[in-house]
Amino acid sequence: MELSPQKQRTRRAILDAAAGEWAQDPAVSLGRIAATAGVGRATVHRYFPDREHLWSALTSDSWAALHAAIVEAAPGAGPVLEVIDRVVSAMVHVGDRVLFLFASAEGNPSDADTSVANAVDELLVAEIERGQRAGELDATVPARWIQRMVWSIVYTGLHATGDGLVARHGVDDLIRWTLRGAISAR
């Protein structure tokens, strides 16, 4: 069933609020999520019958948003370090979704979510391997190690914004600077 534009906005507001709240505290109440979304708790339940349905919908939506943002960053177009810069910016742009996905990593993802998560990782690994072949990235370090470093540094940067250590608008530069120092060819 197709949702009206108003219902799509309400659903999006609930998902965005849940991402922000659950990224900070996976135990936060649905009432708090409703308040952050600017709707009543009953409205949340009209869209998502219970916490598990909302969690599942947010997990799928977060992986889809992250995948779309990374695809939009145009992997394969241009020098690898520039592509990785764009990927980092894409990840920061969907920051609460990335933090939520880290917070929800203990759950059992659906097959569709696992497929999208793998696609996200494969896009990143393909860029890293391209950079290693081109001599832009350190080829002595396994590509999967660098991929995990990207995830870890993005997570650390996003968490630092939440802690007030660095401003959200400046965190991409700090993440990129850190990554370039760690992964550039020597």
Side-chain angles (χ1 to χ4, degrees):
M1 178 175 147
E2 185 76 22
L3 294 176
S4 70
Q6 174 62 38
K7 288 184 177 183
Q8 288 176 9
R9 284 189 299 275
T10 301
R11 184 177 192 279
R12 171 72 32 221
I14 294 167
L15 289 170
D16 289 346
E21 292 294 336
W22 277 339
Q24 300 306 311
D25 178 8
V28 74
S29 71
L30 290 181
R32 177 74 191 136
I33 291 169
T36 301
V39 299
R41 188 179 168 117
T43 300
V44 171
H45 285 290
R46 275 195 294 279
Y47 288 83
F48 306 99
D50 56 33
R51 184 180 191 84
E52 290 75 31
H53 280 89
L54 177 54
W55 191 276
S56 177
L58 181 57
T59 301
S60 296
D61 190 71
S62 295
W63 278 117
L66 180 58
H67 183 261
I70 290 174
V71 167
E72 191 174 307
V80 171
L81 287 172
E82 290 176 16
V83 171
I84 290 175
D85 286 350
R86 293 192 306 264
V87 167
V88 164
S89 291
M91 294 171 95
V92 169
H93 179 72
V94 293
D96 285 343
R97 301 312 177 104
V98 170
L99 288 173
F100 167 75
L101 290 169
F102 269 95
S104 67
E106 303 83 43
N108 295 319
S110 70
D111 290 341
D113 294 337
T114 300
S115 175
V116 176
N118 289 339
V120 166
D121 282 340
E122 292 310 314
L123 284 169
L124 187 54
V125 168
E127 279 306 302
I128 293 164
E129 290 172 342
R130 183 171 75 92
Q132 289 175 320
R133 285 189 304 276
E136 292 181 67
L137 301 180
D138 190 340
T140 64
V141 178
R144 294 270 176 199
W145 177 268
I146 294 173
Q147 173 240 359
R148 288 181 179 194
M149 283 180 52
V150 171
W151 276 107
S152 297
I153 294 171
V154 168
Y155 173 79
T156 300
L158 291 170
H159 235 287
T161 65
D163 294 343
L165 181 63
V166 63
R168 184 73 169 250
H169 67 274
V171 75
D172 329 30
D173 290 337
L174 187 56
I175 293 168
R176 287 193 296 264
W177 177 82
T178 304
L179 274 173
R180 280 179 179 248
I183 66 175
S184 293
R186 305 207 190 296

